């Protein structure tokens, strides 16, 4: 079935020099015991950049209770640097092993939000472990960078799982749609209006939230609503934008769990001028 665009775009909000949902800043929790629990899961022996950066951003953003879970072969690398880190069994090459499934599901039960920031490698056991979390965990999950790539063989589980946020590049979105709804195929040359309408269609009736960039805009889609925020700089794909956005999204979606569209649109405003 061929997709055709809709003429009514009242679902599309454009964020300018003032935030659309600035009241979220005034209503943030001030006490740690009211700010929710965030668990960061990622990294490998070869790269700890993403979970380390995510941990720093989340910790600096608010009072949320925070855990970071790493493969145990990274322990010598973070000893004395990150005393808060928890460790799970790893493969011989230093990625997460599926032997840690029971333990990681215990950590998941503790959290209100799980953030997968990436740098986890592409090991099949790691993929199996992450898939188990997606199946068993019922609260918010935020995935970005190669944490999405390791799960892209089954895009339906990413788009259909309730309370899932994908903070992804345009290329990642393109690949996922090819395997999920090819009639919604996207290309880099398409105009912003068409992409907005596709994301509106994609997220209607879906529990997932999408954040991506195109034509120098950050685009948020959730529950059929779409917001666009123009980047201050001139780059279509600013370096590291996904990691910072995902880290802030973990905070704002934990603080405002019933308002993902507002939370992610506010995150877009916060990162638009610092990328």
């Amino acid at each position: 079935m061929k997709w055709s665009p809709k003429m009514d775009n009242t679902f599309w909000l454009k964020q300018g020099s003032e935030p659309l949902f600035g009241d979220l800043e005034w209503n943030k929790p001030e006490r740690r015991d009211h700010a929710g629990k965030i668990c960061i899961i990622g990294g490998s022996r070869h790269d700890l950049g993403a979970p380390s950066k995510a941990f720093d951003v989340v910790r600096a953003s608010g009072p949320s209770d925070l855990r970071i879970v790493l493969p145990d072969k990274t322990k010598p690398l973070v000893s004395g640097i990150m005393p808060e880190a928890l460790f799970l069994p790893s493969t011989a090459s230093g990625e997460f092993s599926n032997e840690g499934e029971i333990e990681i599901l215990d950590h998941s039960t503790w959290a209100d939000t799980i953030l997968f920031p990436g740098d986890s490698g592409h090991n099949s056991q790691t993929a199996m472990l992450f898939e188990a979390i997606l199946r068993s965990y019922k609260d918010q999950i935020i995935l970005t960078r190669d944490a999405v790539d390791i799960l892209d063989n089954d895009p339906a589980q990413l788009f259909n799982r309730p309370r899932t946020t994908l903070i992804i590049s345009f290329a990642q979105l393109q690949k996922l749609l090819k395997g999920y709804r090819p009639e919604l195929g996207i290309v880099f040359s398409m105009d912003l209006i068409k992409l907005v309408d596709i994301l509106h269609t994609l997220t209607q009736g879906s529990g997932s939230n999408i954040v991506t960039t195109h034509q120098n805009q950050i685009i948020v889609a959730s529950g059929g609503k779409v917001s666009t925020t123009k980047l201050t700089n001139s780059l279509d794909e600013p370096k590291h934008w996904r990691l910072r956005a995902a880290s802030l999204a973990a905070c704002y979606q934990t603080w405002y769990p019933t308002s993902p569209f507002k939370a992610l649109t506010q995150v877009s405003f916060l990162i638009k001028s610092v990328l």
Side-chain angles (χ1 to χ4, degrees):
M1 180 179 175
K2 186 178 179 181
W3 171 84
S4 58
K6 302 173 182 63
M7 299 304 294
D8 175 19
N9 62 359
T10 55
F11 54 81
W12 180 7
L13 301 180
K14 300 176 183 180
Q15 186 162 236
S17 59
E18 297 295 327
L20 289 169
F21 305 111
D23 59 308
L24 269 60
E25 295 301 317
W26 300 105
N27 295 322
K28 290 191 301 186
E30 297 180 357
R31 288 173 43 181
R32 184 173 180 175
D33 57 339
H34 292 165
K37 302 172 182 177
I38 299 171
C39 183
I40 299 170
I41 302 173
S44 69
R45 184 176 64 182
H46 311 289
D47 200 341
L48 288 171
S52 176
K53 177 65 174 177
F55 185 85
D56 289 343
V57 172
V58 172
R59 184 167 56 180
S61 298
S64 301
D65 204 353
L66 181 59
R67 289 183 183 178
I68 182 166
V69 180
L70 306 169
D72 59 14
K73 279 192 167 52
T74 67
K75 194 170 185 178
L77 304 175
V78 300
S79 179
I81 301 173
M82 196 177 290
E84 304 92 342
L86 303 169
F87 300 94
L88 293 183
S90 56
T91 64
S93 56
E95 292 95 5
F96 284 109
S97 164
N98 58 6
E99 292 179 5
E101 180 175 337
I102 293 176
E103 192 174 351
I104 205 167
L105 291 177
D106 285 342
H107 292 307
S108 301
T109 302
W110 168 86
D112 299 306
T113 301
I114 294 176
L115 169 61
F116 291 98
D119 286 345
S120 302
H122 296 276
N123 188 282
S124 60
Q125 291 194 44
T126 305
M128 292 169 62
L129 191 67
F130 287 7
E131 287 167 358
I133 296 173
L134 261 67
R135 289 192 304 269
S136 301
Y137 183 69
K138 303 305 179 186
D139 286 318
Q140 297 179 129
I141 288 180
I142 298 168
L143 301 107
T144 193
R145 303 172 77 242
D146 62 5
V148 176
D149 299 331
I150 200 173
L151 297 167
D152 66 9
N153 63 319
D154 186 8
Q157 73 173 336
L158 297 177
F159 287 124
N160 293 335
R161 183 192 176 277
R163 309 190 76 190
T164 301
T165 297
L166 305 176
I167 298 184
I168 51 183
S169 68
F170 189 94
Q172 286 178 311
L173 177 61
Q174 184 182 53
K175 183 178 181 181
L176 289 172
L177 285 177
K178 283 182 180 178
Y180 178 61
R181 292 189 62 178
E183 79 278 11
L184 299 180
I186 60 175
V187 295
F188 283 90
S189 60
M190 73 191 311
D191 61 43
L192 182 63
I193 294 174
K194 185 173 181 180
L195 178 60
V196 164
D197 199 57
I198 285 174
L199 290 174
H200 161 68
T201 300
L202 177 65
T203 58
Q204 272 189 313
S206 168
S208 64
N209 313 298
I210 311 296
V211 183
T212 191
T213 58
H214 186 56
Q215 293 188 349
N216 213 40
Q217 302 271 348
I218 306 172
I219 308 164
V220 171
S222 176
K225 295 180 288 187
V226 180
S227 70
T228 53
T229 305
K230 189 173 182 180
L231 291 165
T232 302
N233 60 34
S234 60
L235 298 177
D236 286 325
E237 182 70 9
K239 189 177 182 181
H240 305 313
W241 78 268
R242 286 171 290 166
L243 180 56
R244 181 167 182 80
S247 303
L248 289 174
C251 298
Y252 279 79
Q253 287 191 256
T254 301
W255 299 333
Y256 303 104
T258 61
S259 304
F261 179 70
K262 291 182 178 181
L264 293 169
T265 298
Q266 179 63 12
V267 168
S268 298
F269 183 82
L270 294 174
I271 68 172
K272 72 183 180 71
S273 61
V274 296
L275 301 176

